[in-house]
Amino acid sequence: DADVTQTPRNRITKTGKRIMLECSQTKGHDRMYWYRQDPGLGLRLIYYSFDVKDINKGEISDGYSVSRQAQAKFSLSLESAIPNQTALYFCATSDFNSDEQYFGPGTRLTVT
Amino acid sequence: EDQVTQSPEALRLQEGESSSLNCSYTVSGLRGLFWYRQDPGKGPEFLFTLYSAGEEKEKERLKATLTKKESFLHITAPKPEDSATYLCAVRQAKAGGTSYGKLTFGQGTILTVHP
């Protein structure tokens, strides 16, 4: 089984809808991250969490919120989806004493 | 502002034709430079971390090197299975306390190796 899983893998939604992307990990890592990837823009950090009670905004957090339900679970919500949130979304994890990040398989989100 | 620029945007090689990918960066206090491989439809896969100028790391046909301004990913005698997008990222030194050192990614180089 994959160490970092994301659900759903693909999602098409309409403008104004609320959606949630979920991430689970079995690596036992404390740190979890949400990124989005757009063609020509690379990966950009949305939110990150160093433990269940520590959640921080990344460089592009507007329009997004997160919840760290447990050490192993980190979800990303779009309260009111808009078309420019169409992108690939990746969850990642890392150990507290390591710089290596391990990425999930991604969720392709399309907002129409 | 931290910047990471990768070149070329795309590279096509014949199997066995060695080459290099470039990652140029500007960052206030380098905490580490990272190389990832990303296959289509998948998340990035960690390859290397380099921390100081002069450092080198190798893995199979890949070797990463670091200077004060750039990093190179050398691919020796590539095979078709090396085809992927290669991402470079840099982390700046933490501002203080337990704050997270920002990770800035480049746009990637798409490598295609033809048999």
Side-chain angles (χ1 to χ4, degrees):
Chain A
D1 289 339
D3 294 321
V4 183
T5 57
Q6 293 183 235
T7 56
R9 293 296 314 279
N10 290 281
R11 178 75 182 270
I12 300 174
T13 191
K14 294 186 177 181
T15 298
K17 294 291 187 181
R18 181 182 188 277
I19 66 165
M20 179 182 290
L21 309 183
E22 297 185 337
C23 176
S24 295
Q25 54 112 348
T26 59
K27 299 189 74 67
H29 290 166
D30 293 318
R31 300 182 173 188
M32 299 187 73
Y33 313 82
W34 275 105
Y35 290 90
R36 67 177 278 176
Q37 187 175 42
D38 299 275
L41 293 178
L43 281 157
R44 293 180 292 167
L45 183 64
I46 307 172
Y47 270 95
Y48 62 99
S49 171
F50 281 2
D51 64 40
V52 175
K53 296 182 180 180
D54 178 41
I55 293 178
N56 304 277
K57 293 182 178 180
E59 59 185 303
I60 54 163
S61 60
D62 288 347
Y64 302 94
S65 63
V66 291
S67 174
R68 184 83 183 265
Q69 300 95 327
Q71 184 203 36
K73 296 185 182 294
F74 193 34
S75 59
L76 176 72
S77 295
L78 285 69
E79 297 301 325
S80 180
I82 56 177
N84 74 2
Q85 291 177 315
T86 293
L88 263 174
Y89 289 85
F90 288 102
C91 173
T93 74
S94 68
D95 198 2
F96 76 99
N97 63 351
S98 172
D99 289 323
E100 301 173 19
Q101 293 190 10
Y102 296 85
F103 286 78
T107 294
R108 183 172 296 279
L109 176 66
T110 303
V111 183
T112 62
Chain B
E1 183 177 326
D2 300 343
Q3 286 191 334
V4 180
T5 303
Q6 293 187 245
S7 62
E9 292 184 7
L11 180 62
R12 296 180 180 181
L13 301 174
Q14 289 297 127
E15 185 172 1
E17 179 187 2
S18 300
S19 188
S20 297
L21 282 54
N22 178 264
C23 173
S24 297
Y25 64 91
T26 55
V27 63
S28 54
L30 180 69
R31 172 67 176 82
L33 184 139
F34 306 83
W35 282 99
Y36 286 83
R37 168 190 171 130
Q38 186 174 19
D39 293 300
K42 296 187 177 181
E45 176 187 350
F46 173 80
L47 292 173
F48 304 109
T49 307
L50 302 167
Y51 290 105
S52 57
E55 188 175 358
E56 299 182 352
K57 290 200 176 166
E58 291 188 59
K59 180 180 181 180
E60 297 181 354
R61 295 176 292 281
L62 301 176
K63 183 169 80 171
T65 62
L66 181 65
T67 72
K68 290 185 178 180
K69 298 285 188 183
E70 58 192 348
S71 176
F72 292 94
L73 185 65
H74 306 278
I75 303 175
T76 302
K79 298 182 178 181
E81 53 262 43
D82 294 322
S83 298
T85 297
Y86 290 85
L87 303 173
C88 169
V90 296
R91 171 165 295 146
Q92 67 179 101
K94 295 178 183 179
T98 59
S99 62
Y100 175 67
K102 179 185 173 183
L103 196 64
T104 302
F105 280 85
Q107 297 171 347
T109 293
I110 303 171
L111 174 66
T112 305
V113 182
H114 297 285

